[in-house]
Amino acid sequence: MPDNIPFEIQTEIMKRLPVKSLLRFRSVSKSCKSLIDSSDFIKHYIGQQQQHLLVRCYDCVAHFEKQSMSIVDDDSLPTQTASVTLPSLVEYPNLIGTSHGLFCFYGPSSRRAVIFNPCIRTTLAFAVPRVTNDHLYQTVIGFGVCRHTADPKIVKITLTKKSDRHINSPWQVEVFTVSTSTWRSAYSTNLPRNSISIYMNQVVVDGCLYWLAIDGCSYLIVSFDLTSEEFREVNLPDSLAQFRGSLALSLYKLRESLAVIKDGVEANKRVYHVWMMHDDSFIKLYTINSSHSPDVSILRVCGFRKTGQPLIELSEAHPGSTSILAAYDPYSKSITYIRNDGNYSSYTVHSYMETLLLL
C-alpha cells in the first residue's frame, strides 16, 4: 500500500480483505507477514463477512464419502463452488461442531480430535483422553471458540447412562484449550442435574455451546458458556418438551439465534416445525412442508442459509428419483436446487465464515 496511508488505516483495510488476498500479502514483505500473523490481527480479523456452506455427501450404497464442496452463500448460489479435502488424520471424519470458521472432527478409534480451517487448509490434531462409551457411561465432546480470547476449546463431558439407575455419578467435565495444549477441569463447578442426559449434536451461538438434552420424559436444552465455562438449563415450551418415544427434535443455528426443529407427519408427508429462541423463550416461525408439490418429499432439514432460508434434502416421487440438496423459501414455498449426487445419497451442510485462526 502507499506509504502516505497511515499504518492504522492500512491495518483496518487489510482486516476486511478476503483470506486468499491476505495469504498473498504475507509473501510481499516481512512487515506484512508480521502484521497478518500477529495474534491481535487474527483475533480481530473481519473479512468480507461472506458465509460459505460446506456440503458433504455420503453414498449410502457404496458406503463412501464423495468429494466435499464449499459453496459461496450469496445471490449466486450455487454457482461459486470449490472442492474441499477434509483432514485425513482421523478415520471417516465425525464432525463434532463448527465455530468461528473452524471445524472439529473426532475419530473414535484413534481417539484423536482434529481442528480444521478450510480457508487456509490448516489442521491441528491432539489426543482426547479417557473417552468412555460402555454400558455404564458415555462421553460427549463439544467444540467452540471463545469469543473474547478467540481461543478454540474442546469440552469433554462424561456422564452416567440413565439406563443404569443404580449409578448416579455427577458429570465429569474437562476442557482443552489450543493456547495451552492441555486438558483441565472447567472453571465452574455448577453442573447440570445428574438425571440429565445430552445428545451428541451441538450448536454454537453467541459464545455458547448448546445441546439437546432429556430429563425423564421431558426434552430441554443445556448450554455451556465458552468464556465463563458455566452450564445452564433452558426449558422448552410444552409442545416441544414432551418426549414421544423417539427423537423428534434437532438444533440448528438460524442467523445468530438458536433454532429448534420438530419433525412430524401430516397427510402422509413429513413436515418440520421451525422454532427460534429469543430471550430464553421460543417462538414458532413457520412449518416446512411439500403439500403444494405432491411429487416432492422433504427427507430432512440440513441447516439454514445466511438469508434464513432452510436447506433441505428432498426426493422426487418417481422411478429412479434421486436425493437432492435444495434451498426452501418458507413464504413463497419455492425450491432452489443446489446439488444432485444421484440415487441413495445423503447430505450434511455446515455454514462457516472465513477466518485466520490456526494460521
Side-chain angles (χ1 to χ4, degrees):
M1 290 186 183
D3 293 336
N4 61 339
I5 299 179
F7 179 75
E8 292 78 10
I9 297 179
Q10 293 184 37
T11 300
E12 290 303 314
I13 293 173
M14 292 178 69
K15 284 180 182 178
R16 289 164 171 77
L17 294 177
V19 166
K20 286 185 178 180
S21 299
L22 291 177
L23 295 180
R24 290 194 293 266
F25 268 119
R26 291 174 77 236
S27 61
V28 171
S29 67
K30 290 183 177 180
S31 60
C32 282
K33 185 178 187 302
S34 177
L35 170 65
I36 296 169
D37 291 359
S38 67
S39 59
D40 185 72
F41 186 89
I42 291 173
K43 178 181 176 181
H44 295 99
Y45 172 69
I46 299 171
Q48 296 181 314
Q49 296 297 301
Q50 177 62 66
Q51 179 166 290
H52 300 255
L53 302 173
L54 178 67
V55 179
R56 302 173 69 186
C57 180
Y58 187 76
D59 189 312
C60 301
V61 175
H63 301 293
F64 76 95
E65 184 168 4
K66 299 181 180 181
Q67 179 67 57
S68 298
M69 300 292 293
S70 177
I71 305 175
V72 176
D73 185 11
D74 61 11
D75 293 339
S76 70
L77 185 85
T79 59
Q80 299 185 61
T81 65
S83 298
V84 177
T85 300
L86 300 180
S88 58
L89 297 175
V90 294
E91 63 271 25
Y92 172 69
N94 178 21
L95 182 67
I96 298 300
T98 68
S99 178
H100 283 61
L102 300 182
F103 290 73
C104 183
F105 300 94
Y106 175 70
S109 298
S110 61
R111 295 189 176 181
R112 289 204 302 174
V114 175
I115 301 176
F116 173 56
N117 183 333
C119 296
I120 61 176
R121 303 182 186 276
T122 303
T123 59
L124 176 66
F126 54 90
V128 182
R130 299 178 296 280
V131 175
T132 304
N133 282 295
D134 54 27
H135 68 286
L136 295 179
Y137 300 96
Q138 72 172 113
T139 299
V140 176
I141 300 173
F143 168 75
V145 176
C146 176
R147 58 181 173 178
H148 293 293
T149 64
D151 194 5
K153 294 183 178 183
I154 302 288
V155 183
K156 182 166 69 73
I157 304 169
T158 302
L159 60 161
T160 307
K161 287 187 175 179
K162 296 304 170 283
S163 57
D164 293 273
R165 295 294 181 180
H166 61 285
I167 299 177
N168 196 27
S169 302
W171 288 25
Q172 298 178 30
V173 182
E174 296 176 83
V175 177
F176 176 92
T177 56
V178 168
S179 61
T180 63
S181 296
T182 57
W183 290 91
R184 56 168 173 77
S185 299
Y187 294 145
S188 176
T189 58
N190 181 26
L191 302 177
R193 289 166 285 145
N194 299 346
S195 59
I196 293 177
S197 292
I198 58 177
Y199 294 93
M200 293 295 291
N201 68 304
Q202 63 149 74
V203 176
V204 179
V205 177
D206 197 25
C208 289
L209 270 166
Y210 291 92
W211 292 276
L212 183 65
I214 189 168
D215 185 12
C217 295
S218 297
Y219 288 121
L220 71 156
I221 291 172
V222 170
S223 71
F224 178 81
D225 190 302
L226 288 160
T227 301
S228 66
E229 300 185 1
E230 292 185 349
F231 286 94
R232 196 165 59 90
E233 299 172 17
V234 181
N235 292 322
L236 291 168
D238 292 342
S239 58
L240 297 177
Q242 186 176 0
F243 178 69
R244 298 183 181 275
S246 61
L247 184 61
L249 302 182
S250 51
L251 303 184
Y252 295 91
K253 182 178 180 179
L254 173 52
R255 294 193 179 96
E256 294 304 316
S257 299
L258 179 69
V260 179
I261 295 183
K262 179 180 180 180
D263 65 86
V265 177
E266 295 178 4
N268 296 320
K269 281 197 171 187
R270 301 203 71 84
V271 296
Y272 302 87
H273 307 285
V274 181
W275 296 67
M276 187 173 69
M277 185 171 78
H278 178 70
D279 294 335
D280 284 355
S281 62
F282 289 82
I283 57 173
K284 185 177 178 180
L285 300 181
Y286 49 78
T287 297
I288 302 171
N289 63 63
S290 58
S291 59
H292 64 289
S293 181
D295 295 330
V296 171
S297 294
I298 299 175
L299 303 178
R300 61 194 189 90
V301 178
C302 300
F304 290 89
R305 294 190 58 193
K306 188 175 182 179
T307 60
Q309 286 184 339
L311 296 163
I312 58 174
E313 183 178 326
L314 58 84
S315 65
E316 296 176 332
H318 59 74
S321 65
T322 60
S323 295
I324 300 169
L325 179 66
Y328 175 88
D329 188 311
Y331 304 105
S332 69
K333 301 190 183 302
S334 61
I335 294 175
T336 303
Y337 287 7
I338 297 175
R339 182 168 172 175
N340 184 342
D341 285 84
N343 292 338
Y344 309 110
S345 296
S346 179
Y347 298 96
T348 58
V349 183
H350 311 281
S351 60
Y352 68 98
M353 310 290 279
E354 291 189 348
T355 182
L356 291 172
L357 293 175
L358 302 189
L359 185 64

